[in-house]
């Protein structure tokens, strides 16, 4: 069985690491064994982790420190985690360097973008506006808005759908795409909801939470299935 490393979030108050079990269930359903990775910001640790796992899933969580993309932190920006930022940015860059498959979800997509030199809206409502409400944490497991996949994207290839509906639990989003990233999906308001790195075997990011839809929506589980397939190649 292939091993998929999943990054957790850190509760800064209690010092505990945790991960929403939906991620582990979706990976397991795809036929791989999920393992939760420690948040260590050391080259040697990233090297060891990437030798042992067949793919990495960067999961959702707190905001990325705006200083890491050259901006001052605004009051509208949420909580950040320096430990997690350092651990995930390094792991992400090394995984890309070594062409280890990456599935990047919500914050994971934002980490991927920042790792490649991109920038973020620190708050969608304050800096982008638009008619949609993207932080819909009141209904985390249900589709709340549509996305349109680019016809030539990996995402479209995987889901087989040009348009579908997704859940939405983010107040931040990609502003300027990182180097080499291609926009794979946009919401109805034009906001970037997906990006991928065509130069690598499998580096796919989505702004929504397919792990919380994958037990009921085949196009959401298809992302995990395609990711695990890429990890077997
Ligand atoms: Mn959204």
């Amino acid at each position: 069985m292939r091993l998929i490393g999943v990054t957790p979030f850190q509760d800064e108050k209690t010092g505990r690491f945790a991960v929403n079990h939906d991620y582990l269930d979706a990976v397991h359903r795809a036929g791989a064994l999920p393992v939760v990775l420690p948040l260590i910001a050391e080259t040697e640790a990233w090297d060891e982790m990437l030798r042992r796992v067949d793919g990495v899933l960067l999961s959702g969580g707190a905001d990325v420190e705006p200083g890491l993309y050259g901006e001052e932190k605004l009051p509208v920006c949420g909580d950040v985690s320096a430990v997690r930022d350092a651990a995930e940015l390094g792991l992400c860059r090394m995984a890309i360097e070594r062409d280890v498959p990456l599935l990047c979800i919500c914050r994971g997509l934002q980490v991927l973008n920042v790792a490649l030199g991109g920038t973020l809206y620190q708050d969608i409502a304050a800096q982008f506006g638009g008619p949609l409400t993207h932080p819909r944490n009141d209904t985390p497991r249900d589709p709340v808005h549509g996305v349109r996949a680019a016809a030539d994207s990996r995402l479209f290839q995987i889901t087989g759908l040009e348009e579908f509906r997704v859940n939405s639990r983010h107040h931040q989003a990609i502003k300027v795409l990182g180097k080499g990233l291609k926009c794979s999906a946009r919401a109805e308001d034009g906001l970037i909801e997906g990006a991928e790195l065509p130069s690598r075997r499998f580096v796919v990011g989505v702004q929504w939470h397919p792990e919380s839809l994958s037990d009921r929506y085949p196009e959401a589980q298809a992302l995990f299935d395609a990711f695990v397939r890429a990890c077997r190649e």
Side-chain angles (χ1 to χ4, degrees):
M1 226 180 199
R2 298 296 163 153
L3 283 188
I4 305 296
V6 182
T7 56
F9 65 85
Q10 184 188 32
D11 184 328
E12 305 258 355
K13 286 186 197 91
T14 63
R16 288 182 179 166
F17 291 130
V19 62
N20 185 333
H21 215 284
D22 284 351
Y23 293 108
L24 311 184
D25 291 339
V27 166
H28 187 232
R29 215 181 283 120
L33 190 67
V35 290
V36 181
L37 299 176
L39 297 177
I40 300 175
E42 277 175 18
T43 308
E44 198 188 344
W46 299 325
D47 172 61
E48 291 291 341
M49 284 188 252
L50 292 176
R51 281 172 197 274
R52 284 166 169 77
V53 300
D54 301 291
V56 173
L57 191 163
L58 297 175
S59 67
D63 292 348
V64 176
E65 164 58 48
L68 294 167
Y69 48 89
E71 290 189 8
E72 215 167 294
K73 188 168 185 270
L74 303 173
V76 290
C77 185
D79 290 341
V80 296
S81 164
V83 173
R84 192 173 176 191
D85 284 348
E88 286 189 325
L89 281 166
L91 185 65
C92 180
R93 289 191 183 112
M94 193 182 279
I96 289 169
E97 227 174 76
R98 299 190 180 181
D99 205 7
V100 173
L102 273 173
L103 180 58
C104 309
I105 295 178
C106 197
R107 167 192 160 88
L109 170 63
Q110 296 165 8
V111 167
L112 170 68
N113 191 51
V114 172
L116 293 169
T119 65
L120 306 174
Y121 290 114
Q122 292 189 38
D123 184 76
I124 297 166
Q127 298 183 314
F128 176 80
L132 292 178
T133 305
H134 287 273
R136 288 293 306 273
N137 297 302
D138 56 314
T139 175
R141 302 180 57 81
D142 299 307
V144 292
H145 70 68
V147 292
R148 174 181 279 271
D152 58 349
S153 64
R154 192 82 186 250
L155 180 70
F156 174 66
Q157 217 178 67
I158 291 167
T159 60
L161 298 172
E162 205 173 328
E163 280 178 81
F164 49 98
R165 292 180 64 76
V166 298
N167 52 0
S168 192
R169 290 188 223 161
H170 57 116
H171 86 105
Q172 297 197 330
I174 291 177
K175 185 162 69 180
V176 176
L177 276 166
K179 191 163 179 263
L181 281 174
K182 170 191 157 59
C183 171
S184 61
R186 285 184 192 272
E188 291 144 338
D189 58 3
L191 200 63
I192 294 177
E193 288 266 346
E196 49 198 46
L197 198 57
S199 65
R200 291 296 180 274
R201 283 197 293 146
F202 190 101
V203 177
V204 171
V206 294
Q207 189 56 70
W208 62 95
H209 284 272
E211 78 282 3
S212 301
L213 300 166
S214 55
D215 57 341
R216 290 155 295 143
Y217 297 88
E219 69 273 17
Q221 181 61 36
L223 272 167
F224 296 93
D225 295 348
F227 173 46
V228 169
R229 265 200 310 277
C231 295
R232 287 201 188 102
E233 278 163 16

